[in-house]
Amino acid sequence: MDHLASEAVIQGSKPGRIIILPSSFQGSPRVMQQNYQDAMGIVRKCGKPDLFITFTCNPRWKEIEEQLFPSQTPSDRPDLIARVFKLKLKQLIDDIVRNHIFERRVAHLFVIEFHKRGLSHCHMLIILASESKPRDSNSVARIVSSEIPDADQNPQLYEMVKSHMIHGPCGVPNKNSSCMEDGKCTEEFPKEFRNETAPNKDGYRRYRRRDNGVIAKVGKYEVDNRLVVPYNPHLLMKYDAHINVEVCATVKSIKYLFTYVYKGRRCANIKLELPVKDGTTFAKLWNWMKLKPISTLHMSVHQKPEAVWRLFEFPLHDKSHSIIRLAIHLPNMKPVYFAEGNELEALD
C-alpha cells in the first residue's frame, strides 16, 4: 500500500477507534509542535534571532481602495486584503533577503496570524550575520527608532508614526483603553524617557526615548515619545502600515512566535444548558465547548480574510531553511501511517 508522508506515534494499544490528525492538517497541535522544533533547529544552526518584525495589513492601502466598487469598504473585499497583504509580505522578504536593508541576513522565519477584527498579521524573526548584528547603541539606532520625528523636517514620516506607531493612548489619560488591566498597561506603556539605548530587558533593548518636547496629537490625546512603538523609518515609509521592529537577543522570541503550541488557539468557551428528564424530575446538563473564532470582520464565513487566506492556500508559516525530520522509534511506541481512504495501519 502506498502511504502518505504523515506519521504519528501512539503509546500502547487501546480498544476502540483512534483518530489522529496528521501534521498536514494546518493549525493542529502536531503541526505547531513540528514547526516550533524546526525553528529551534534553525536557531541551533544559525544562532539566536536578532530582529523581531511585526507586520500588519493596512486596509487603507491604495492598492485595496482603488479596486473597491462604489459604496464598498475594505471589509467587503477580504479577497483584496489577503492578496495585497501577500504581495506586500513578499516584497518585505525580498527587501530583507535580496536588498539587504539590514545588511547580511543568515536566516529568517515567519508565521501568519489574524486579528480578531480580521486583518492579516505577520510575525517574523531575522538572524543576521556576525558582522551585521546590532551590538551597540549606535548600531541599534540605525535600525530602530522609538521617537516621534520632527513634523517640519519629515512631515510624511511624522503622519505615519501618528497613524500607525502610537500605542493606545492608555494610562492616566485613558484608563478605559483595551490594554489596561488592574490599572496598568499590559504592554508596559508608557515607557520611561531615556537619552541612550540601554542593554536588554527580557531579551529586548530599552530604546532611546528623549524628552525633547515633541508632541503629537492622536484623537483628543497628546502623546510623546513614551508611547511610540519601535519602528524602522525606511520600512514605515515604504509600506505605510504598522510594522514594529525590535532588536532581540533571546530564543524566547521563538516561543512567542509559536505561542499556541503552549496555550492552544484563541478559543471561546461556550456553555449549553439543556433540560433532561430523569424519571419524574429534570436535571441540568452543562456542556462546555471550546470554539476557535475565525476573525470577525464580516458575518459571512466565506468573506473573512482568514478563510480567504486558507482558500487561496497562502502559507501560514515559512522559513529560509529546509528541515529534515528524523523519526525515532521509542520503546513501547508504535508508528502510525496515514493512508489513503482514511485508513490507519500500525506497523510494529
Side-chain angles (χ1 to χ4, degrees):
M1 180 181 295
D2 294 330
H3 300 288
L4 300 180
S6 301
E7 180 182 348
V9 176
I10 60 175
Q11 185 172 10
S13 59
K14 298 180 180 180
R17 184 178 181 183
I18 299 176
I19 300 176
I20 305 175
L21 289 175
S23 58
S24 58
F25 184 85
Q26 294 299 319
S28 66
R30 291 188 63 230
V31 73
M32 294 179 191
Q33 182 69 26
Q34 289 184 359
N35 291 334
Y36 171 74
Q37 296 295 340
D38 290 349
M40 293 304 295
I42 293 176
V43 169
R44 186 177 65 174
K45 175 69 175 179
C46 303
K48 296 178 181 179
D50 296 295
L51 299 177
F52 192 118
I53 299 177
T54 302
F55 182 29
T56 304
C57 175
N58 179 8
R60 297 190 298 272
W61 276 328
K62 65 177 182 179
E63 292 87 351
I64 295 177
E65 292 185 336
E66 290 176 353
Q67 300 301 320
L68 297 176
F69 295 116
S71 74
Q72 274 192 337
T73 63
S75 62
D76 298 321
R77 296 294 303 276
D79 56 323
L80 281 177
I81 292 177
R83 291 183 184 277
V84 172
F85 182 73
K86 175 67 165 52
L87 293 173
K88 297 277 188 178
L89 178 61
K90 182 179 183 298
Q91 181 60 53
L92 174 62
I93 295 174
D94 285 343
D95 284 342
I96 296 171
V97 176
R98 296 181 176 84
N99 298 333
H100 307 291
I101 61 171
F102 298 123
E103 300 184 9
R104 194 164 73 89
R105 173 222 54 123
V106 174
H108 73 271
L109 58 128
F110 69 81
V111 298
I112 302 294
E113 299 175 0
F114 295 86
H115 284 170
K116 289 184 178 180
R117 56 187 179 136
L119 295 178
S120 308
H121 187 72
C122 173
H123 292 306
M124 182 184 302
L125 287 176
I126 308 296
I127 303 175
L128 300 175
S130 178
E131 68 274 12
S132 302
K133 292 181 181 294
R135 302 183 185 276
D136 53 35
S137 59
N138 291 330
S139 58
V140 171
R142 288 195 296 268
I143 297 176
V144 178
S145 174
S146 56
E147 295 182 334
I148 301 172
D150 189 277
D152 297 327
Q153 296 181 2
N154 200 333
Q156 185 177 1
L157 180 61
Y158 175 81
E159 291 298 328
M160 288 186 179
V161 170
K162 280 180 52 180
S163 176
H164 303 300
M165 306 311 299
I166 299 298
H167 175 81
C170 64
V172 176
N174 184 17
K175 295 182 179 180
N176 296 323
S177 178
S178 59
C179 63
M180 297 293 290
E181 185 175 317
D182 297 330
K184 296 182 179 180
C185 174
T186 56
E187 303 296 332
E188 299 183 359
F189 280 93
K191 305 292 186 180
E192 297 178 355
F193 283 122
R194 194 177 302 278
N195 291 326
E196 294 294 336
T197 299
N200 292 354
K201 179 182 179 182
D202 296 329
Y204 293 90
R205 296 272 183 161
R206 290 174 288 176
Y207 305 103
R208 180 179 66 182
R209 300 173 184 271
R210 292 170 293 185
D211 188 6
N212 52 13
V214 178
I215 299 294
K217 190 168 184 179
V218 179
K220 62 180 181 179
Y221 304 101
E222 291 187 345
V223 300
D224 53 31
N225 291 334
R226 293 176 296 174
L227 288 173
V228 177
V229 177
Y231 63 95
N232 177 271
H234 171 75
L235 293 181
L236 181 58
M237 288 283 290
K238 181 172 182 178
Y239 291 97
D240 187 22
H242 176 90
I243 182 163
N244 174 215
V245 179
E246 299 266 7
V247 175
C248 59
T250 174
V251 294
K252 287 183 179 180
S253 51
I254 299 286
K255 179 179 178 181
Y256 184 88
L257 224 65
F258 298 96
T259 179
Y260 297 127
V261 172
Y262 300 94
K263 64 180 183 181
R265 286 284 181 181
R266 289 174 179 163
C267 296
N269 287 329
I270 297 179
K271 179 175 65 175
L272 297 180
E273 183 178 344
L274 302 175
V276 177
K277 190 173 183 179
D278 183 13
T280 57
T281 61
F282 284 86
K284 292 183 178 179
L285 290 183
W286 303 93
N287 185 20
W288 291 88
M289 295 186 299
K290 294 186 70 177
L291 303 179
K292 176 185 178 298
I294 305 183
S295 54
T296 56
L297 191 63
H298 201 279
M299 294 299 294
S300 301
V301 172
H302 70 276
Q303 291 184 317
K304 295 178 180 178
E306 182 172 1
V308 170
W309 189 277
R310 292 173 180 268
L311 287 173
F312 289 162
E313 297 185 358
F314 292 159
L316 289 170
H317 60 87
D318 199 7
K319 51 189 177 292
S320 57
H321 289 61
S322 298
I323 307 295
I324 299 177
R325 299 166 183 167
L326 301 178
I328 300 176
H329 187 79
L330 300 176
N332 298 322
M333 304 291 282
K334 297 181 179 181
V336 177
Y337 299 90
F338 293 85
E340 295 179 359
N342 296 326
E343 298 177 359
L344 291 177
E345 181 179 350
L347 304 178
D348 292 329

